[in-house]
Amino acid sequence: MSGIRPTGFLHLGNYFGAIRNYVKMQDDYECYFMLADVHSLTTHPDTKELKKNVLRVLAEHIACGLDPEKVALYCQSHLYETAELYLYLNMLAYKGELEKTPTFKDKVRQHPDNVNAGLLTYPVLMAADILIHRANYVPVGKDQEQHLEIARNYVNRFNHRYGHVFPEPFAFNFNKELIKVPSLDGKGKMSKSENQLATLFLADEDDVIRKKIMKAKTDNGPAKKNSVKPEYIENIFLLMKLVSNEEVIAKYEDGFNNCTIRYGDMKKQLAEDMVNLIAPIRNRVNAILNNEKYLEKIMKQGADKAIASAEATMQLVRNAMGLNYF
Ligand code: AMP
């Protein structure tokens, strides 16, 4: 189980942190993938653009290779059962703990005028999203590791108090380290809301991709053989490892170690490899978006599958808690 907020165009972080793994999991696991529209209200309370964004992000999931016949691809707001579970989990969540969560502190810094309780209890709702399907594996990027730890705390508290209902959920990347896709300006990670010029979106046109990559921070190259890479150079190599083939990567690694590297050439190569990844996805999104009836059908079908799973979980939860008076 996993989810992405429909707060804007999907970017390379969403693709490599989450969706690429969704696609790899869809044949071997029972999968529930969600558009986290309710979560998006914590920071984007204006709903005028919401439907448009939901349809776009839905189309982006399908264009990346997700098959709505194989997985439940659904909207969070269609699953009322999650609200009930969230309510019960809130009794197991402590204010002090929530206030210490780094993502909460970041959001307070970014939105000082809108520190709502939904922002504070974001990890509780996220836990409810995962536990509603009694999920074991959660394909997410590195930034979500701590939220998974919080979800496991609630599982243990719930199971200890009311009896075993939930498995412990773990962040999942096929036994490899979780991914953090760095931003192109050498600071932080790619994100929908911050530093948009340093983030590559799946909707970016070829020339925009090239321009953004050519602007990425580099320098004159190392002066000494086998130097340590500065973080902004390490980031360019990291991005290259995501999209380029092994020969290309080896060529630039050697170039760096021998002080012959030309970052202009490296960025040109990286840009072409990125265009090869992004252009076909972008073109498929545009084709799917034209078919609103199809997208609505997919959303309804996904909701039906997810609701069946959620109802079964809530029967177990109510019975375990003793909320079954007749
Ligand atoms: P969000 O866009 O915050 O709703 O995140 C949705 C998913 O994308 C989560 O699994 C995140 O961990 C993942 N994600 C977002 N940004 C990045 C990034 N820069 N690198 C890796 N994963 C990311």
Side-chain angles (χ1 to χ4, degrees):
M1 189 285 149
S2 194
I4 297 182
R5 288 167 307 146
T7 46
F9 296 106
L10 294 194
H11 54 78
L12 220 59
N14 299 132
Y15 181 77
F16 284 108
I19 297 190
R20 187 178 58 161
N21 281 345
Y22 295 8
V23 175
K24 283 204 242 165
M25 290 175 88
Q26 65 183 344
D27 289 314
D28 301 322
Y29 296 85
E30 181 187 336
C31 297
Y32 295 89
F33 296 129
M34 176 187 88
L35 308 190
D37 53 348
V38 179
H39 273 298
S40 72
L41 300 179
T42 55
T43 50
H44 294 63
D46 186 350
T47 52
K48 272 202 289 299
E49 299 282 308
L50 191 57
K51 181 174 176 189
K52 200 175 99 212
N53 286 339
V54 163
L55 292 180
R56 158 135 224 130
V57 173
L58 185 62
E60 287 180 321
H61 277 70
I62 299 167
C64 288
L66 206 64
D67 181 349
E69 300 302 323
K70 290 184 185 160
V71 306
L73 181 56
Y74 65 99
C75 279
Q76 189 180 24
S77 59
H78 289 152
L79 225 60
Y80 303 158
E81 290 76 8
T82 309
E84 185 187 351
L85 183 56
Y86 166 65
L87 183 65
Y88 302 151
L89 293 181
N90 266 316
M91 320 303 176
L92 304 172
Y94 299 107
K95 178 170 156 274
E97 255 171 17
L98 292 167
E99 279 169 341
K100 273 193 249 151
T101 314
T103 42
F104 174 67
K105 290 193 196 155
D106 285 348
K107 291 280 186 306
V108 171
R109 257 194 304 275
Q110 288 160 12
H111 307 271
D113 301 331
N114 184 22
V115 184
N116 58 73
L119 216 49
L120 181 69
T121 56
Y122 193 106
V124 189
L125 182 55
M126 181 166 156
D129 294 326
I130 297 166
L131 302 189
I132 201 75
H133 302 300
R134 302 172 69 229
N136 298 285
Y137 303 121
V138 187
V140 283
K142 194 156 181 54
D143 57 324
Q144 294 297 327
E145 215 163 22
Q146 196 143 28
H147 285 154
L148 265 296
E149 197 181 317
I150 297 175
R152 287 195 293 279
N153 285 340
Y154 300 154
V155 163
N156 289 323
R157 284 175 203 165
F158 185 98
N159 288 347
H160 185 252
R161 186 165 297 173
Y162 300 116
H164 191 278
V165 171
F166 298 113
E168 281 190 308
F170 285 90
F172 181 75
N173 182 21
F174 293 89
N175 293 328
K176 292 202 213 89
E177 235 194 274
L178 299 182
I179 287 182
K180 173 183 156 188
V181 178
S183 94
L184 287 165
D185 59 10
K187 285 181 255 157
K189 59 179 179 124
M190 287 197 186
S191 116
K192 294 198 203 89
S193 46
E194 291 160 66
N195 57 12
Q196 305 213 338
L197 288 176
T199 292
L200 294 170
F201 292 94
L202 301 182
D204 281 345
E205 294 292 337
D206 296 352
D207 280 349
V208 174
I209 298 170
R210 292 188 183 106
K211 263 195 206 120
K212 284 183 180 173
I213 293 181
M214 293 316 287
K215 282 211 177 118
K217 180 173 173 182
T218 45
D219 52 32
N220 293 331
K224 274 203 237 133
K225 285 193 173 189
N226 301 316
S227 315
V228 176
K229 297 182 185 103
E231 195 180 345
Y232 51 91
I233 297 295
E234 187 67 71
N235 288 349
I236 311 264
F237 274 94
L238 252 170
L239 290 169
M240 191 165 236
K241 282 180 193 147
L242 293 173
V243 288
S244 302
N245 68 40
E246 282 179 14
E247 260 166 61
V248 167
I249 299 162
K251 174 178 149 192
Y252 289 101
E253 286 284 4
D254 286 349
F256 181 85
N257 290 332
N258 298 321
C259 308
T260 54
I261 194 161
R262 291 159 59 121
Y263 289 127
D265 292 347
M266 182 180 183
K267 288 195 278 189
K268 264 190 210 143
Q269 172 75 51
L270 177 62
E272 291 321 304
D273 291 340
M274 279 296 175
V275 165
N276 285 337
L277 171 79
I278 292 175
I281 297 176
R282 185 187 66 225
N283 295 338
R284 280 197 294 274
V285 172
N286 292 337
I288 298 168
L289 261 184
N290 282 331
N291 196 344
E292 203 169 306
K293 281 269 160 306
Y294 166 73
L295 289 172
E296 280 170 9
K297 187 185 125 229
I298 296 301
M299 227 189 299
K300 170 85 179 56
Q301 181 181 313
D304 289 345
K305 286 191 216 171
I307 289 168
S309 155
E311 279 176 348
T313 299
M314 287 318 293
Q315 281 304 335
L316 294 175
V317 168
R318 292 182 207 118
N319 285 340
M321 294 178 73
L323 299 168
N324 52 350
Y325 311 133
F326 55 83

